[in-house]
Amino acid sequence: MEAVMNNVTIEKAKTSKIKDVDFDNLSFGSIYTDHMLVCDYKNGQWQAPKVVPYQPITLDPSSKIFHYGQSIFEGMKAYKDESGSVWLFRPLENFKRLNKSAKRMAMPELPESYFMDGLTTLLQVDSDWIPQSAGSSLYIRPFMFASGNGFHASPADEYKFIIALAPSGSYFSGKVKVLIEKQYSRAANGGVGFAKTGGNYAGQFYPTRLAAEKGYQQVIWTDDNNHEYIEEAGAMNVFVRINDMLLTAPTNDRILDGITRKSILDIAKDEGIKTEIRKVSVKEVVEAAKNGSLKEMFGAGTAAVVSPISAFGYEGVDYDLPELEDSYASLLKKRITDIQYNRAEDKFGWRHEVV
Amino acid sequence: MEAVMNNVTIEKAKTSKIKDVDFDNLSFGSIYTDHMLVCDYKNGQWQAPKVVPYQPITLDPSSKIFHYGQSIFEGMKAYKDESGSVWLFRPLENFKRLNKSAKRMAMPELPESYFMDGLTTLLQVDSDWIPQSAGSSLYIRPFMFASGNGFHASPADEYKFIIALAPSGSYFSGKVKVLIEKQYSRAANGGVGFAKTGGNYAGQFYPTRLAAEKGYQQVIWTDDNNHEYIEEAGAMNVFVRINDMLLTAPTNDRILDGITRKSILDIAKDEGIKTEIRKVSVKEVVEAAKNGSLKEMFGAGTAAVVSPISAFGYEGVDYDLPELEDSYASLLKKRITDIQYNRAEDKFGWRHEVV
Ligand SMILES: Cc1ncc(COP(=O)(O)O)c(C=O)c1O
Ligand SMILES: Cc1ncc(COP(=O)(O)O)c(C=O)c1O
């Protein structure tokens, strides 16, 4: 059965898996909906995107994705409000970042209409899968990878762009304890840290596992020169509150330019919270922890939303953060999720209705 | 039809593709033999390796290889001598490096017997595919990737290890012109540069493409701090000869510990060539080029063998290297290939016969 919507061809799945899903007990990103969007790049151009049944991908063993790491992705969410309307949060920012990542990884940039029309069509087809229970949402995973063949270390001539959907619960359970890293690094100056590319994540797994063995859920990465400055965490940007000032590192070619991060900065300003975008040294954070001026730390990201940090480890010492009544983290989390779920006015124009 | 050899099960291809191959005009790594080795990791252990017909791989769209870059590989060659015997060159070094890469990328290490028995069995099954013409060889590509599923940014629970074979011609055609990089970087201190992982290659493609547009075939990477020191090239380590001294950078966590590099160092010493393993600054190379003491530069790697560099570009200026009668590059290339193809005594014990 084929249909066309927004110029996107739709091939419907014969049966739905939705009745097997326990929407009250969702983990993060481990169940996928009935359909996916597929768009192939060959002969120098993108073919029209299609919604097809969620299905396996078949590749030659020489496909460059297996050898040379040309892969990029995005992470987004779809939110369903009380009336059943479906919303995206700043989707064009994800689209633009995808293409920035594509360029750095020598992959072809995608046309905006393929991304937006493909995504909204897919969401309409699988809209029953968008959870409405608190804390749950539909995680959206657009990704692109090298499907062309060959052992020569050079860019592939074919690529696949896919969007898959996963109804998901929260990324972290509870508060997060982090380790400020002194030995390993996430990104090089002049490297690919700002791109959302597979290799940036694979490189973090081993140090993160070492940290997990000591009881930390995430690593806070520092610059690779001297490990002096705080950069970001595994899957989120990091904010530090010293007294009443909210600090976060400037983005650069080592740090992912998080959409949650910049939204939080705008909301904080709107709330009259003093913010500063500047290098944050590990030394000043440790000193602030010691003298009591360190009030909060939290991570910000699409998957993690706003995740309060309960403690950080550094050079073998753990520093606990205080429990605050009126934390910036809870205020900012409420404001951003109220916009995302269409529970509050959208003065920034960030919401995008899926119709 | 199933057989067993060295504890490896063999499922033979029904027909062979070999008659379609033009062995006199081989490109690099674009034709694959009739079989491949496959070994799956699940439930916390490696399953027995199998030789099977070369065939596509089917994966779920949520397989972590598409998202989080857990992939490693090796590059080796099989050489056939005049009598038809088949040789490997220091294969255990590749095996050890594979497991070093695996560890850094939070992937499971492979048992030595699975690697060695799997490889030699596969080579015996496809031994007709090993070219005997000068300059050609059978390129061997062992690789491992995350096949387990999930959008959570954490190591996969399943992996595939595969060895594929590609009868290949030379990697470069002729001498190589290189660009010494000032802006982009390959690896971070504390990062994954020493691991043979996909992301290290994907990150090089865009800067290498920019260099290619200016007429350079490879980029010579420098440290990411100040771009002061020469590290390595895209797919080979780099040697610099100033007067009679052969220099190469020490390996560290940013540089691949090349097997050709260390073999070349041993052969050079054996030849009475003075060698020094130390940081080589761009400044001294440029000065040596200017005052005429820069005699040679060459790359060394399994695919590239020993590849003379004809010129390097730096800050907009091209520096040509002299044409030497008795270059170290040609002497060292002859010595190493004579060992590889069983044309000379193997005083270092590097050759490994496939029987
Ligand atoms: C490394 C990293 N930093 C930061 C973020 C936050 O970015 P965003 O707010 O756009 O989701 C992410 C992704 O979620 C990430 O993977
Ligand atoms: C980045 C890099 N450096 C150096 C080398 C050379 O290593 P080997 O001599 O072990 O092939 C390679 C691989 O061939 C490589 O990919």
Side-chain angles (χ1 to χ4, degrees):
Chain A
M1 185 174 76
E2 265 196 16
V4 176
M5 196 193 290
N6 315 316
N7 295 315
V8 179
T9 312
I10 300 166
E11 186 200 326
K12 277 262 187 127
K14 293 213 173 59
T15 54
S16 175
K17 303 168 290 188
I18 200 166
K19 57 195 171 309
D20 305 330
V21 178
D22 178 0
F23 278 87
D24 293 326
N25 291 292
L26 292 168
S27 61
F28 185 86
S30 56
I31 284 167
Y32 315 102
T33 65
D34 289 327
H35 299 87
M36 66 190 199
L37 183 86
V38 181
C39 191
D40 285 312
Y41 181 89
K42 48 182 140 185
N43 305 319
Q45 62 189 46
W46 286 106
Q47 316 297 307
K50 280 185 212 166
V51 171
V52 297
Y54 186 86
Q55 63 192 271
I57 299 164
T58 299
L59 294 166
D60 196 79
S62 70
S63 277
K64 293 204 177 190
I65 180 62
F66 297 129
H67 306 273
Y68 299 127
Q70 276 187 296
S71 75
I72 57 174
F73 67 97
E74 276 298 325
M76 311 169 70
K77 284 180 175 171
Y79 308 90
K80 203 176 252 182
D81 69 20
E82 297 207 322
S83 76
S85 298
V86 176
W87 303 90
L88 292 167
F89 184 73
R90 308 184 79 177
L92 282 176
E93 295 293 323
N94 293 92
F95 166 70
K96 284 185 223 153
R97 191 169 64 188
L98 181 83
N99 274 350
K100 250 201 230 173
S101 300
K103 188 171 177 201
R104 182 62 181 86
M105 307 316 287
M107 298 167 76
E109 293 172 50
L110 194 76
E112 184 181 313
S113 64
Y114 284 13
F115 184 91
M116 287 304 297
D117 294 344
L119 174 56
T120 51
T121 307
L122 177 65
L123 285 172
Q124 280 167 282
V125 172
D126 277 344
S127 66
D128 288 349
W129 286 82
I130 307 175
Q132 249 169 320
S133 46
S136 294
S137 57
L138 187 77
Y139 183 75
I140 301 169
R141 172 53 60 90
F143 61 108
M144 189 197 296
F145 63 90
S147 52
N149 302 335
F151 292 158
H152 199 283
S154 51
D157 58 354
E158 297 190 358
Y159 296 84
K160 266 187 195 297
F161 172 70
I162 294 178
I163 305 179
L165 307 174
S168 294
S170 54
Y171 195 81
F172 297 113
S173 44
K175 281 199 175 191
V176 184
K177 195 175 161 187
V178 299
L179 178 70
I180 299 182
E181 183 64 51
K182 281 278 297 180
Q183 181 184 353
Y184 296 101
S185 307
R186 181 184 173 278
N189 299 304
V192 301
F194 71 96
K196 220 163 152 69
T197 183
N200 287 338
Y201 296 81
Q204 298 182 60
F205 290 166
Y206 177 68
T208 303
R209 180 180 282 171
L210 295 181
E213 284 165 7
K214 295 187 205 141
Y216 305 98
Q217 281 96 59
Q218 289 260 298
V219 170
I220 295 206
W221 300 102
T222 49
D223 61 287
D224 81 315
N225 280 3
N226 305 307
H227 301 285
E228 257 180 288
Y229 296 99
I230 284 181
E231 307 220 299
E232 62 174 321
M236 52 197 196
N237 297 105
V238 172
F239 285 84
V240 175
R241 172 180 171 187
I242 296 183
N243 292 320
D244 287 340
M245 176 71 79
L246 191 59
L247 302 170
T248 193
T251 56
N252 55 33
D253 67 5
R254 296 187 306 277
I255 300 183
L256 195 81
D257 185 4
I259 296 160
T260 317
R261 172 187 172 279
K262 59 186 169 196
S263 306
I264 289 288
L265 283 169
D266 285 344
I267 295 173
K269 273 175 222 155
D270 189 58
E271 286 287 339
I273 294 172
K274 282 180 290 177
T275 60
E276 227 172 71
I277 303 175
R278 64 158 172 85
K279 287 173 142 197
V280 180
S281 75
V282 181
K283 198 164 155 242
E284 78 179 292
V285 173
V286 170
E287 266 163 30
K290 285 182 181 160
N291 70 27
S293 59
L294 182 68
K295 302 297 181 199
E296 295 179 55
M297 287 174 70
F298 58 85
T302 298
V305 197
V306 173
S307 286
I309 290 169
S310 59
F312 71 88
Y314 183 65
E315 293 187 332
V317 183
D318 276 356
Y319 300 86
D320 286 327
L321 280 119
E323 288 273 355
L324 297 189
E325 282 270 303
D326 301 305
S327 70
Y328 287 175
S330 54
L331 170 70
L332 295 166
K333 179 172 179 178
K334 180 172 186 331
R335 284 247 3 223
I336 196 168
T337 52
D338 279 352
I339 295 173
Q340 290 165 334
Y341 285 90
N342 189 27
R343 290 188 298 243
E345 189 205 345
D346 176 24
K347 65 198 280 187
F348 302 102
W350 289 337
R351 250 184 337 243
H352 177 101
E353 188 165 9
V354 176
V355 280
Chain B
M1 187 173 75
E2 266 197 13
V4 176
M5 197 193 291
N6 316 316
N7 296 316
V8 179
T9 311
I10 300 167
E11 185 200 326
K12 279 262 189 126
K14 294 210 172 62
T15 56
S16 174
K17 302 167 292 188
I18 198 165
K19 55 194 173 309
D20 306 330
V21 177
D22 178 0
F23 278 87
D24 293 326
N25 292 293
L26 291 169
S27 61
F28 185 87
S30 56
I31 285 167
Y32 316 101
T33 66
D34 289 327
H35 299 88
M36 65 190 201
L37 183 87
V38 181
C39 192
D40 286 311
Y41 180 90
K42 47 182 141 185
N43 304 321
Q45 61 188 46
W46 286 106
Q47 315 297 307
K50 281 184 209 164
V51 171
V52 298
Y54 186 87
Q55 62 191 269
I57 299 163
T58 298
L59 294 167
D60 196 79
S62 71
S63 276
K64 293 204 178 189
I65 180 60
F66 297 129
H67 305 274
Y68 299 126
Q70 275 187 300
S71 76
I72 57 174
F73 66 99
E74 275 299 323
M76 312 170 69
K77 284 178 174 172
Y79 309 90
K80 202 175 253 182
D81 69 21
E82 298 206 323
S83 77
S85 297
V86 177
W87 303 90
L88 292 167
F89 183 73
R90 310 185 79 177
L92 281 177
E93 295 292 325
N94 293 95
F95 165 71
K96 283 184 225 155
R97 192 170 61 189
L98 182 82
N99 274 350
K100 249 199 230 175
S101 300
K103 187 170 177 202
R104 182 61 181 86
M105 306 318 287
M107 297 166 76
E109 292 172 53
L110 194 76
E112 184 182 313
S113 66
Y114 283 13
F115 183 90
M116 287 304 295
D117 295 344
L119 174 57
T120 52
T121 306
L122 176 65
L123 285 171
Q124 281 166 281
V125 171
D126 276 343
S127 65
D128 289 348
W129 286 83
I130 306 175
Q132 250 170 321
S133 46
S136 294
S137 57
L138 187 77
Y139 183 74
I140 301 169
R141 173 52 60 90
F143 62 106
M144 190 198 294
F145 63 89
S147 53
N149 302 336
F151 292 157
H152 199 281
S154 51
D157 57 355
E158 297 191 358
Y159 296 85
K160 265 186 196 297
F161 173 70
I162 294 178
I163 304 181
L165 307 173
S168 294
S170 53
Y171 195 81
F172 297 114
S173 44
K175 284 200 173 188
V176 184
K177 194 173 161 189
V178 299
L179 178 70
I180 300 183
E181 184 63 53
K182 283 275 300 178
Q183 181 184 353
Y184 295 101
S185 308
R186 181 184 174 277
N189 300 302
V192 302
F194 71 97
K196 219 164 154 68
T197 182
N200 287 338
Y201 296 81
Q204 298 183 62
F205 289 167
Y206 177 69
T208 303
R209 179 179 282 173
L210 296 181
E213 284 166 6
K214 296 188 204 140
Y216 305 97
Q217 281 96 59
Q218 288 259 300
V219 169
I220 297 207
W221 300 103
T222 49
D223 62 284
D224 80 315
N225 279 4
N226 305 307
H227 301 286
E228 257 181 287
Y229 296 100
I230 284 180
E231 307 220 301
E232 63 173 321
M236 52 197 195
N237 297 106
V238 172
F239 285 84
V240 174
R241 174 181 171 188
I242 295 181
N243 291 318
D244 287 341
M245 177 70 80
L246 191 59
L247 303 170
T248 193
T251 56
N252 55 33
D253 66 5
R254 296 186 306 278
I255 300 184
L256 195 81
D257 185 4
I259 296 158
T260 317
R261 172 187 172 281
K262 60 186 171 198
S263 306
I264 289 287
L265 283 169
D266 285 345
I267 295 173
K269 274 175 221 155
D270 189 58
E271 286 287 341
I273 294 170
K274 284 180 289 179
T275 60
E276 229 172 72
I277 302 175
R278 63 160 172 83
K279 284 174 145 196
V280 180
S281 76
V282 181
K283 197 162 157 245
E284 79 179 294
V285 174
V286 170
E287 267 162 26
K290 285 183 181 160
N291 69 28
S293 59
L294 182 68
K295 303 297 183 201
E296 293 179 57
M297 287 173 70
F298 57 87
T302 299
V305 196
V306 173
S307 287
I309 289 169
S310 58
F312 71 87
Y314 183 67
E315 294 188 331
V317 182
D318 276 356
Y319 299 87
D320 286 326
L321 280 118
E323 287 275 353
L324 297 189
E325 283 270 302
D326 301 306
S327 70
Y328 286 175
S330 54
L331 171 70
L332 295 165
K333 179 173 179 175
K334 183 173 182 332
R335 286 247 1 226
I336 196 167
T337 52
D338 279 354
I339 295 173
Q340 288 165 336
Y341 285 90
N342 190 26
R343 291 187 298 242
E345 188 206 344
D346 175 26
K347 64 198 282 186
F348 303 101
W350 289 337
R351 250 186 334 246
H352 177 101
E353 188 165 8
V354 177
V355 279

